[in-house]
Amino acid sequence: MDLPEKIENLSLNNAQNSTQTKREDYIGWKEYFMAIAFLAAKRSKDPSYQVGACVVNKENKILGIGYNGFPIGCNDDDFPWGKNTPSPLDSKFLYVCHAEMNAILNKNSADLNNCTIYVSLFPCNECAKIIIQSGIREVVYLSDEKAHKPMYIASKKMFDAAGVNYWQFIPKNDTIVIKFT
C-alpha cells in the first residue's frame, strides 16, 4: 500500500469514527463513587461489617479511600474480631478504625473542605465528629440500618448542627460487574 492509499484509509477510518456516538450504558459519578466505597469495603477482614468510604471533591476527584480495619502496625491476627465478648478488651470495638476515619487520614490532599464522603453504612457518632472536623460538607450513604441506635441519632444531630448535608443514595443498578478478562 502506497502513501496516498494509507492517507485515504486513515481519512475513511476517521470519518467513520466521527459518526459514532458515545456509549450510553456508563455509570454516573454518584454510582461510581459509591461503587468505589463498596470495592474498598472488600478489603476489610471484619466478619460482621465490611464498610468502605470514598472522599471526593467538587471536581469529582477522589481524595481518599478507606475501609474498616485495625491501625497500621496492629496485626489483625493478634487482635479480636468478636463483638459480644465478656470483656471489652476482647472485642473489636476498642481497636477497629472505621472506613470514614481511614479515608480521611489516607487523603492525598491537604484540604477536604466542602468535599463529599460516600459511605456504604451511615457514620457513627465518632466518625461524624471526624467528618465535621475535616471540613467535609456532604455525606452520601447507602444503608442506614442502625438509625435507631443512639450513636447514629447523635451523628444526625451533629451533622444538622454543623450544616453537613446527608442523604441516602438509591442506586440505579443492583450490581456493577467488574471483569478482569
Side-chain angles (χ1 to χ4, degrees):
M1 180 180 290
D2 63 353
L3 186 58
E5 286 176 310
K6 286 181 183 178
I7 292 172
E8 185 178 333
N9 283 341
L10 185 61
S11 296
L12 284 174
N13 286 340
N14 286 342
Q16 289 171 346
N17 287 340
S18 67
T19 61
Q20 292 180 358
T21 59
K22 69 180 179 183
R23 187 170 64 89
E24 297 294 330
D25 61 343
Y26 61 92
I27 61 174
W29 285 115
K30 291 176 176 73
E31 255 184 322
Y32 174 66
F33 297 132
M34 188 59 78
I36 288 173
F38 268 76
L39 186 59
K42 293 288 187 188
R43 286 282 310 136
S44 175
K45 297 176 184 177
D46 191 320
S48 304
Y49 281 96
Q50 299 81 50
V51 181
C54 178
V55 179
V56 180
N57 69 11
K58 296 290 182 197
E59 290 80 41
N60 291 324
K61 293 180 182 168
I62 296 171
L63 301 184
I65 298 172
Y67 56 89
N68 56 320
F70 294 122
I72 294 169
C74 295
N75 187 320
D76 55 31
D77 291 326
D78 297 337
F79 284 85
W81 287 107
K83 292 183 348 179
N84 302 318
T85 60
S87 168
L89 290 173
D90 295 328
S91 169
K92 69 177 183 173
F93 295 119
L94 295 179
Y95 309 106
V96 169
C97 296
H98 288 182
E100 301 90 333
M101 176 195 294
N102 281 326
I104 290 167
L105 292 175
N106 293 336
K107 70 184 188 303
N108 61 14
S109 170
D111 187 8
L112 298 183
N113 281 330
N114 299 313
C115 287
T116 299
I117 189 166
Y118 288 80
V119 292
S120 51
L121 183 64
F122 191 86
C124 71
N125 63 308
E126 293 300 319
C127 289
K129 292 183 231 177
I130 294 168
I131 289 166
I132 292 165
Q133 290 297 91
S134 74
I136 291 172
R137 290 291 165 244
E138 184 174 36
V139 176
V140 182
Y141 61 93
L142 187 72
S143 172
D144 195 12
E145 66 187 65
K146 299 181 180 190
H148 63 283
K149 293 188 174 188
M151 65 175 46
Y152 298 93
I153 295 168
S155 295
K156 289 178 179 154
K157 213 171 165 178
M158 286 187 284
F159 285 154
D160 290 341
V164 174
N165 185 31
Y166 54 91
W167 55 276
Q168 187 170 24
F169 176 74
I170 307 297
K172 293 178 186 171
N173 304 299
D174 287 345
T175 59
I176 294 175
V177 178
I178 297 173
K179 290 184 180 181
F180 289 109
T181 56

